[in-house]
Amino acid sequence: MSAVLRSRARLRGLLMLPLAALALSACEHSSAPQPAAPAAATRAAKPGRPAAVAFTPPPLRTIPDDAFGAEVRKGEALFRHTATAAPQYVGNTLSCQNCHLDAGRLADSAPMWAAWVSYPAYRSKNQRVNTFEERLQGCFRFSMNGKAPPLGAPELVALEAYSYWMAQGAPTGTRLVGAGYPKLPKPAQGWDYARGKQVYESHCALCHAADGQGLLVDGKTWFPPLWGPQSYNWGAGMSRLDLAAGFIKANMPLGNGNSLSDQQAWDVAYYLDSHERPQDPRYMGSIEATRQQFHDGPYETYGRIVQGHLLGAGVGVSGGSTVTREATPRARLAPAQRD
């Protein structure tokens, strides 16, 4: 059997695993009930911080069979198949559950039941208090590289209904165990492109392809593109190394989360975010100005030189992003990052 056929056979076997129920894109999910955690269960807190409360969302089979339940089901379907269910607002092939696994239910994968009880909240990203609906708008604009649905749009209402239903019984304004992505300590060795490439080739390329463009079967995205014109744009949270590393550590490879070391998670996050992707829709006319305004942090690769390339030129034409290219990168204004 040729190497190509062996790879395809291995991939077919992977897709048939029960763990494929957690697939990053449009894979179908089980609605089997999950054991409820006691409401009083907590995770040990750091000194001076309140303990996080454990919470388990209700099983999908308990969605009510009424008008509200129909809206919840609509939101769940939209969450799984965003690119096809809301094409007017999506500019790539991704779905919400690419970054929020198991249709937004999985702990340590920015679950939506934990997000619902955390808003309204101040966000440094736009320096003001955001409602939950405004937070969803940002996901469409950045992660989906598309256009924000207007407030009150049917798509936002359905996603709100789904998130609200999952969060029933969760305390409002309290940290929940598994909210967001885990925060990894900054690695002593920093992050490295060559090490990250090795991790990617060994643990990620089977599903996301050697060129990072994911796996499509009959036009349906099974494993999402991680860079390039069909991936998240430079304004998305996953373009930040700390967020990407936390997500990867807890959840990747799919079905085998926490199998990579912290160092491997940081390195492969750096490798992923050292490739071009659609331009930040907040683009200010130059990479330098955009970096200084929106990406001037220690975990940003936008506007930095990696492998001899100034990141931030943008790729492709899709969604609501203004995709631009700078023909002559101004290296003196962009500090190089560790390779």
Side-chain angles (χ1 to χ4, degrees):
M1 181 182 293
S2 70
V4 172
L5 291 177
R6 284 196 300 271
S7 294
R8 288 180 177 174
R10 184 183 172 198
L11 181 55
R12 189 178 301 112
L14 176 65
L15 291 173
M16 294 301 293
L17 289 173
L19 288 170
L22 296 178
L24 281 182
S25 184
C27 303
E28 294 303 324
H29 295 241
S30 169
S31 58
Q34 302 180 27
T42 60
R43 176 179 289 178
K46 294 181 180 179
R49 296 185 61 188
V53 177
F55 176 77
T56 300
L60 296 178
R61 62 180 175 80
T62 63
I63 296 176
D65 188 18
D66 55 18
F68 177 72
E71 197 70 17
V72 171
R73 290 186 178 89
K74 178 181 174 182
E76 191 231 358
L78 195 154
F79 206 92
R80 296 179 188 273
H81 312 292
T82 321
T84 54
Q88 69 274 39
Y89 300 121
V90 178
N92 53 29
T93 60
L94 303 185
S95 292
C96 297
Q97 68 172 4
N98 290 144
C99 298
H100 311 269
L101 301 185
D102 195 21
R105 299 172 58 82
L106 188 65
D108 290 328
S109 181
M112 301 307 289
W113 42 263
W116 172 262
V117 298
S118 301
Y119 282 85
Y122 177 84
R123 298 192 72 212
S124 58
K125 186 166 188 171
N126 56 18
Q127 299 182 347
R128 63 183 179 83
V129 172
N130 289 211
T131 65
F132 184 75
E133 194 174 12
E134 289 173 319
R135 181 66 182 86
L136 293 177
Q137 285 183 315
C139 289
F140 279 96
R141 188 182 182 202
F142 299 112
S143 297
M144 312 303 294
N145 190 37
K147 300 177 181 178
L151 296 177
E155 292 79 8
L156 295 183
V157 172
L159 289 171
E160 282 189 288
Y162 177 51
S163 302
Y164 166 81
W165 176 81
M166 278 194 289
Q168 58 182 300
T172 300
T174 300
R175 287 195 312 120
L176 299 180
V177 175
Y181 304 131
K183 299 187 187 312
L184 302 184
K186 191 172 181 178
Q189 298 182 57
W191 35 79
D192 181 82
Y193 185 93
R195 290 198 307 258
K197 181 179 181 182
Q198 184 176 28
V199 175
Y200 183 84
E201 291 173 346
S202 299
H203 299 280
C204 314
L206 178 64
C207 293
H208 298 284
D211 63 359
Q213 300 312 292
L215 174 66
L216 277 76
V217 178
D218 296 329
K220 179 180 179 181
T221 301
W222 284 78
F223 295 98
L226 301 178
W227 62 80
Q230 293 301 320
S231 189
Y232 52 89
N233 67 42
W234 280 114
M238 279 294 180
S239 70
R240 277 183 44 177
L241 299 182
D242 54 336
L243 296 181
F247 171 80
I248 291 166
K249 170 67 178 180
N251 299 290
M252 295 292 118
L254 184 64
N256 197 25
N258 291 302
S259 61
L260 299 178
S261 68
D262 287 5
Q263 184 65 61
Q264 286 176 311
W266 280 102
D267 287 339
V268 77
Y270 181 61
Y271 178 72
L272 301 183
D273 285 336
S274 292
H275 290 77
E276 278 294 1
R277 56 190 64 261
Q279 182 59 267
D280 190 324
R282 302 166 297 181
Y283 184 70
M284 300 181 66
S286 75
I287 293 175
E288 176 209 350
T290 308
R291 176 185 65 81
Q292 290 182 345
Q293 183 67 27
F294 302 113
H295 299 279
D296 197 23
Y299 302 118
E300 304 273 2
T301 56
Y302 182 98
R304 270 65 174 183
I305 296 175
V306 179
Q307 297 293 103
H309 175 72
L310 176 62
L311 294 170
V315 294
V317 178
S318 58
S321 294
T322 302
V323 181
T324 58
R325 293 183 181 277
E326 293 197 355
T328 307
R330 288 172 284 179
R332 64 183 180 82
L333 297 174
Q337 287 207 349
R338 177 190 177 101
D339 285 346

